[in-house]
Amino acid sequence: MLSPRERIERQMADPWLIRLHRRLSALTSTITVMHTGAHPDDEQNGLLAYLRMGLGMRTIIACSTRGEGGQNALGPERLGALGVIRSRELEEAARIIDADVSWLGHGPADRIHDFGFSKNGDQTFDRWGEQRIVERLVRAYRKERPDIVIPTFLDVPGQHGHHRAMTRAARSAVALAADPAVFPEHAAEGLRPWKVAKFYLPAWSGGGDTYDDEVPPPDTTLVVEAVGKEKATGAEYDRIGEWSRYYHASQGMGRWPEQPQRIWPLHLAIPGEGVGEETSILDNLPSSLADLAGFDGLDPALAKALIEADGAIAEAISAYPDTQRIARSLLTAAHFLQQVDESSGQPFRELHEHRIVTKRRLVDLAILTALDLFERAYSEPADIVPGGTATLRVELSDRASEFQADVKPVLPAGVSYDVRSLCRPVVFSLAADTNAAVSSLYHPGWKAAGGNGHAYVQISAVVDGREVSGFFDLEEPFFVTPPQSLTLKPDALLVPKGQHQNIIRFAVDIDGGHAPISFKAASGWSVRHSGGDWFAELAGEGAAGLVQLEALSGGQPAFQITPIAYPHIGRARFLSPSTLKILSLDLKLPKNARVGYVGGGADRVGMWLARMGLNVTELDAHALGGDLSAFTTIVVGIFAFGIRRDLAEVTEKIHHFVESGGHLVTLYHRPTDGWYPEATPVCRLEIGKPSLRWRVTDPAAEVIVLQPDHPLLIGPNIIDASDWTGWDKERGLYFASNWDDVYEPLLAMHDVDEQPLKGALVSGVIGTGRHTHVSLVLHHQMDKLVPGAFRLMANLVQPA
């Protein structure tokens, strides 16, 4: 349940009158625009804010992945857990600009997922399957019926391969969505063919620190100019776009544009029938109910009803903030829209039924918002286990009885409700079947008008004899959750070969039910329980490699439930199988190494160094300000110079540490992470940009050793070809592009058809110490338990 402060913050961020204004402005247009992208944060939020709030369009963000392959500037969550965070970030970003979200990918277990960088669309399609992503876009077009589709990026060299694939697929899907012979199975779901009227490409380059388009953008055929300011807030549309981008905090988004963008150039790549030179994005589109009244062959009475409805909506908007006049006018609009919906013929319905249905739903929601009947709904607890119970409370205003307000919970399959009290608040008892399915982590969509999550409520009211209804979200997400959370500490064990570690102790934390716990044996390893202790035991020598021992709860697979909570997205959770991983490897540690680790929360390298058996100290601000001579090596985690001000403030002190005999190891940084080439490293070292050119995305790319006898490559572990096998996602990124002569490049590698890059691992003797800069994704490989990453890291932290 939200705390009082959290409720206050929610109310402050969503004033009722602004919400009412947005509900009204959503009624002005009958046009839908879909904006396609590959990752949460790809969207052009300022443009969408103008199309929605300035022109009244319904806006939809169609996103192919959950961003699970990206980086996290907030905390330790990676992969699936990061996908949950970034999904919630996009949904909250969409809330600010009143946009819907259509998810095309469903997390890391889905073929369409964020697997890291690729440099062209073909490489992306190799992973996703081109037909698969095209089919999902065709489905989205047929379901949402957009008049306009605008991809976020261009399909040109120099762009992220995921972006290129999405743009190509979005274009291919336009013609296919209109063909009834293509994907005929959609008909069984009630989806009919749909013809997108206009397909625009951005007429701007994707250049910058990350991308550098190698060909110029297409010619501008139309300029969308955001005229004026949003009336409810008085803010520039691009600033509202930045309010939206603020929610992509895990990606470090949210800036203050000194000059808000007002112009977005577009290229009409696929014009609709009869579309010539344009002066407005709305040209040749039925952009209002009055336009629909001109439909050829429409019954004159229905045409008149559309015009009357249009006028009533305009009157409601002009009446703002007089809620009584607003409600009366919208009731008139609802009456005429119902008449059109129930009496129009097939030709009209084929093209415009969705517009009328959407408008009726939004008119009802605007009436309920004007009446201000709904206050909040919440479940205690916010989740429910199979066979468990919970209580749902719905708080309505004191006017609810005046309008005969009725509340109906909408719950996941296997969860039922009984009415406990119809007084204020309305109270329901919830009960989950013993076989109720655990809720999925990733929703297929998100709606600005409400009705999101695994549970929400429907509010109905009778206003002047007409029933109106709308969906309202719970203040916290509701889940059917496993009855037990089983956490292994640690969940991964490193066993160096030759050290005869045949019995290893670990802990099992159990939260929730008390079903018996067991483990499946594998590869000679088994688990026994003695008293309060758990032991993994190896029978015999055992082979090098990774073994996974699956935990069972009552004979069924056990899960670890990891809570996720950040102020900008609220509470969420991540489910992962409870599995004990044991990596046996040939690993030798440097002698007399005393390591200080400076992390920014974006990697788990400090933890892995400790699990390797090294003497590691986490360096906080106090430790950084103290005597560093106690350490032989200081490791700076990814992004840390940009995240930790205390680190940036002792840069000169760290330089002195190196010059006096210490070994500084810096893991990769972006150019924007407080990395100043002349000041941050001990000697000049520049990070390459745009970053797409300075990375190797193929995790199996050949690695050429430039200095085979270098001390960092021969001891204490001899790094050979086997250490470069089994890497995941990519080799490295944010490679160094230029450096002082004191540094030596140790490796060379490249993607297909590219020149070798030598900035993945550079090291130089400075004074009596050493600075080594690492752009390899060692932190990710360690998380994925790649043996070579641990062996190389052991070498890198050796004393200078």
Side-chain angles (χ1 to χ4, degrees):
M1 189 168 65
L2 296 186
S3 69
R5 288 189 63 84
E6 288 171 323
R7 288 203 175 107
I8 290 170
E9 290 164 356
R10 291 276 185 95
Q11 190 174 49
M12 289 168 58
D14 187 26
W16 168 58
L17 280 177
I18 291 180
R19 190 184 335 128
L20 175 59
H21 192 281
R22 298 270 168 83
R23 298 289 184 232
L24 294 172
S25 68
L27 303 177
T28 59
S29 176
T30 53
I31 298 301
T32 296
V33 59
M34 180 175 284
H35 192 43
T36 65
H39 316 98
D41 77 24
D42 280 352
E43 66 273 10
Q44 279 284 329
N45 306 67
L47 172 62
L48 292 176
Y50 175 66
L51 295 178
R52 165 59 195 85
M53 298 167 190
L55 300 182
M57 295 182 183
R58 179 189 177 213
T59 54
I60 304 170
I61 301 165
C63 189
S64 60
T65 80
R66 304 300 180 126
E68 61 268 56
Q71 302 161 36
N72 185 0
L74 293 179
E77 296 87 359
R78 294 291 180 276
L79 301 175
L82 178 58
V84 170
I85 291 173
R86 295 189 69 183
S87 295
R88 287 289 300 118
E89 287 182 334
L90 180 55
E91 290 162 359
E92 290 301 318
R95 188 193 304 276
I96 297 300
I97 55 176
D98 208 34
D100 294 348
V101 179
S102 178
W103 292 107
L104 306 177
H106 311 301
D110 187 18
R111 280 285 300 276
I112 298 173
H113 67 277
D114 184 358
F115 55 86
F117 262 80
S118 63
K119 291 184 178 177
N120 61 61
D122 291 337
Q123 291 176 358
T124 302
F125 285 143
D126 287 344
R127 297 284 293 269
W128 289 357
E130 184 170 4
Q131 185 178 25
R132 181 177 291 104
I133 184 61
V134 169
E135 184 273 334
R136 293 190 188 180
L137 277 161
V138 168
R139 183 187 300 271
Y141 291 175
R142 289 174 173 175
K143 179 182 178 183
E144 306 295 350
R145 306 179 90 71
D147 302 283
I148 301 167
V149 172
I150 308 174
T152 312
F153 295 99
L154 296 170
D155 178 18
V156 296
Q159 270 293 326
H160 191 324
H162 295 181
H163 298 163
R164 297 184 63 180
M166 267 301 289
T167 298
R168 193 187 314 172
R171 184 168 188 159
S172 299
V174 169
L176 298 177
D179 186 348
V182 175
F183 305 121
E185 65 273 17
H186 290 178
E189 304 171 35
L191 301 178
R192 306 190 308 273
W194 176 249
K195 185 173 181 59
V196 174
K198 299 180 182 181
F199 181 86
Y200 291 97
L201 291 173
W204 61 79
S205 171
D209 285 348
T210 305
Y211 313 119
D212 182 19
D213 296 349
E214 296 175 11
V215 297
D219 295 337
T220 298
T221 62
L222 174 72
V223 172
V224 175
E225 183 175 359
V227 178
K229 299 181 179 181
E230 203 246 344
K231 293 181 180 178
T233 59
E236 299 270 2
Y237 293 102
D238 192 43
R239 292 215 193 280
I240 296 174
E242 287 302 321
W243 299 353
S244 175
R245 295 196 71 74
Y246 162 87
Y247 283 89
H248 294 298
S250 69
Q251 306 306 295
M253 301 293 179
R255 64 182 183 89
W256 181 261
E258 293 300 328
Q259 294 295 327
Q261 185 173 346
R262 295 185 177 89
I263 291 176
W264 286 269
L266 298 175
H267 172 82
L268 185 59
I270 305 178
E273 294 178 6
V275 176
E277 185 174 343
E278 296 181 292
T279 59
S280 166
I281 196 171
L282 298 175
D283 285 353
N284 303 296
L285 295 176
S287 59
S288 68
L289 293 173
D291 287 345
L292 297 184
F295 183 80
D296 189 28
L298 183 66
D299 183 282
L302 298 182
K304 184 174 184 297
L306 285 168
I307 292 172
E308 294 285 354
D310 197 54
I313 288 172
E315 184 177 336
I317 292 171
S318 67
Y320 177 86
D322 186 332
T323 56
Q324 289 187 341
R325 286 179 56 200
I326 289 171
R328 285 199 303 269
S329 297
L330 291 182
L331 285 170
T332 300
H335 166 75
F336 287 116
L337 288 171
Q338 180 181 354
Q339 182 180 340
V340 174
D341 193 16
E342 294 177 349
S343 304
S344 57
Q346 185 60 31
F348 180 87
R349 298 182 72 83
E350 187 71 27
L351 288 177
H352 302 306
E353 177 186 24
H354 66 286
R355 305 184 203 277
I356 303 303
V357 169
T358 299
K359 202 62 62 184
R360 291 188 67 185
R361 176 170 51 84
L362 293 178
V363 165
D364 272 16
L365 186 60
I367 294 171
L368 290 174
T369 305
L371 298 177
D372 197 23
L373 298 184
F374 176 79
E375 292 189 357
R376 63 190 178 106
Y378 58 95
S379 172
E380 294 180 302
D383 51 30
I384 193 169
V385 302
T389 60
T391 300
L392 174 65
R393 288 181 168 83
V394 182
E395 297 183 4
L396 304 176
S397 74
D398 54 8
R399 301 184 66 195
S401 59
E402 177 186 346
F403 296 101
Q404 303 172 47
D406 181 62
V407 181
K408 179 182 178 182
V410 181
L411 302 170
V415 180
S416 59
Y417 70 89
D418 286 318
V419 178
R420 186 189 300 176
S421 171
L422 291 176
C423 301
R424 295 176 55 202
V426 182
V427 182
F428 300 92
S429 297
L430 308 183
D433 297 342
T434 55
N435 59 351
V438 171
S439 299
S440 62
L441 294 172
Y442 307 99
H443 296 285
W446 190 89
K447 299 172 286 295
N452 299 297
H454 295 293
Y456 46 92
V457 296
Q458 182 177 21
I459 309 294
S460 301
V462 179
V463 189
D464 289 348
R466 170 175 289 277
E467 183 177 287
V468 296
S469 68
F471 296 118
F472 295 84
D473 298 341
L474 305 190
E475 64 180 14
E476 280 192 284
F478 180 85
F479 301 100
V480 179
T481 192
Q484 187 181 66
S485 177
L486 192 150
T487 303
L488 307 179
K489 297 182 177 180
D491 63 344
L493 305 171
L494 301 179
V495 181
K497 299 294 292 181
Q499 295 189 14
H500 306 293
Q501 284 186 268
N502 287 16
I503 300 178
I504 305 174
R505 178 182 296 177
F506 66 98
V508 177
D509 284 356
I510 303 171
D511 185 17
H514 298 287
I517 304 301
S518 60
F519 287 81
K520 290 183 179 180
S523 301
W525 286 93
S526 61
V527 172
R528 65 178 173 87
H529 185 208
S530 177
D533 296 323
W534 292 81
F535 300 92
E537 295 185 334
L538 174 63
E541 281 299 315
L546 178 63
V547 174
Q548 302 191 58
L549 306 181
E550 179 185 0
L552 303 175
S553 173
Q556 299 298 318
F559 290 91
Q560 177 180 336
I561 305 172
T562 303
I564 296 172
Y566 289 102
H568 66 304
I569 60 171
R571 298 184 180 93
R573 54 88 197 249
F574 181 68
L575 294 182
S576 56
S578 296
T579 304
L580 180 65
K581 305 178 183 68
I582 303 174
L583 177 63
S584 300
L585 73 166
D586 180 11
L587 176 65
K588 299 179 180 62
L589 301 180
K591 295 180 180 180
N592 303 317
R594 300 181 304 281
V595 181
Y597 169 70
V598 187
D603 63 53
R604 303 197 300 170
V605 170
M607 179 200 76
W608 286 120
L609 292 172
R611 288 194 190 177
M612 289 163 62
L614 289 158
N615 180 356
V616 182
T617 301
E618 299 263 356
L619 300 183
D620 57 14
H622 178 75
L624 282 174
D627 182 9
L628 300 180
S629 65
F631 303 103
T632 63
T633 309
I634 292 177
V635 177
V636 176
I638 65 172
F639 309 157
F641 276 103
I643 295 172
R644 290 186 52 172
R645 182 176 298 177
D646 59 319
L647 171 62
E649 289 174 349
V650 297
T651 300
E652 290 188 12
K653 183 177 181 180
I654 290 176
H655 291 181
H656 179 71
F657 164 80
V658 173
E659 292 161 354
S660 301
H663 187 184
L664 172 66
V665 179
T666 49
L667 304 184
Y668 71 68
H669 278 62
R670 297 168 293 199
T672 54
D673 287 322
W675 187 275
Y676 304 101
E678 303 290 344
T680 304
V682 189
C683 293
R684 184 183 61 82
L685 189 146
E686 182 177 349
I687 310 300
K689 57 184 180 180
S691 69
L692 186 64
R693 298 177 184 273
W694 296 94
R695 64 175 68 207
V696 175
T697 62
D698 181 0
E702 179 186 8
V703 176
I704 301 170
V705 178
L706 302 176
Q707 303 284 344
D709 297 325
H710 195 279
L712 296 182
L713 299 178
I714 61 173
N717 302 285
I718 299 175
I719 303 301
D720 58 26
S722 66
D723 292 299
W724 304 108
T725 62
W727 281 47
D728 182 74
K729 195 167 75 167
E730 56 198 333
R731 287 290 191 204
L733 64 167
Y734 307 116
F735 283 19
S737 58
N738 290 289
W739 48 80
D740 189 280
D741 290 342
V742 71
Y743 295 105
E744 293 181 284
L746 307 186
L747 308 172
M749 59 192 72
H750 63 90
D751 280 321
V752 175
D753 298 328
E754 295 185 0
Q755 295 298 313
L757 298 176
K758 299 181 180 180
L761 179 61
V762 299
S763 185
V765 174
I766 303 170
T768 58
R770 177 181 293 279
H771 174 210
T772 301
H773 186 69
V774 188
S775 296
L776 301 164
V777 287
L778 289 182
H779 74 288
H780 177 76
Q781 307 310 323
M782 296 167 85
D783 286 344
K784 301 298 286 188
L785 298 176
V786 176
F790 294 100
R791 287 166 43 82
L792 180 58
M793 183 61 81
N795 287 15
L796 296 180
V797 299
Q798 65 182 281

